[in-house]
Amino acid sequence: MLTREEVLKIAKLARLTLTEDEIVFYQKQLTRVLGHIEDLNQVQTSKEAFVQHVPSDAIPFREDRAQPFPNHEGLMGNAPAVENGCFLLPTIVEHS
């Protein structure tokens, strides 16, 4: 089972503040998720199970090129802050 400290560390990384009840809840839930992942890691698969070629009737990807957004002003109207025609976002990485 995940420890209380591990749950608090995950919450800090996610910038969450948890109540005592939430800590206990997420401790159980995250432990279950990790248990399911461990179960999946135990499944035996062979290399032959993976697709090793692209089917001849596969749809090709479109050319990857930049295209202007059709309603740029409308999009920017949803932004909390704009600078030089771009979304202005707060810094989320702290410098130490």
Side-chain angles (χ1 to χ4, degrees):
M1 180 174 250
L2 283 175
T3 65
R4 181 179 193 282
E5 290 74 27
E6 289 170 324
V7 172
L8 290 172
K9 182 177 180 179
I10 293 167
K12 182 179 179 183
L13 290 171
R15 296 183 177 266
L16 298 174
T17 303
L18 301 178
T19 65
E20 286 302 317
D21 289 340
E22 290 171 328
I23 293 170
V24 172
F25 174 79
Y26 287 118
Q27 189 174 9
K28 292 175 184 175
Q29 291 297 313
L30 291 171
T31 298
R32 287 185 59 203
V33 168
L34 292 174
H36 288 300
I37 292 171
E38 184 58 37
D39 291 345
L40 290 173
N41 286 334
Q42 301 303 318
V43 174
Q44 297 296 318
T45 60
S46 66
K47 289 184 178 182
E48 290 77 30
F50 297 101
V51 175
Q52 297 181 3
H53 68 282
V54 177
S56 60
D57 62 344
I59 299 171
F61 290 112
R62 65 169 171 77
E63 180 185 350
D64 189 15
R65 58 186 159 87
Q67 296 179 352
F69 190 77
N71 184 5
H72 189 262
E73 293 78 24
L75 178 67
M76 291 297 110
N78 291 316
V82 176
E83 183 176 289
N84 298 326
C86 298
F87 279 84
L88 183 61
L89 302 173
T91 303
I92 59 169
V93 178
E94 297 173 3
H95 300 284
S96 53

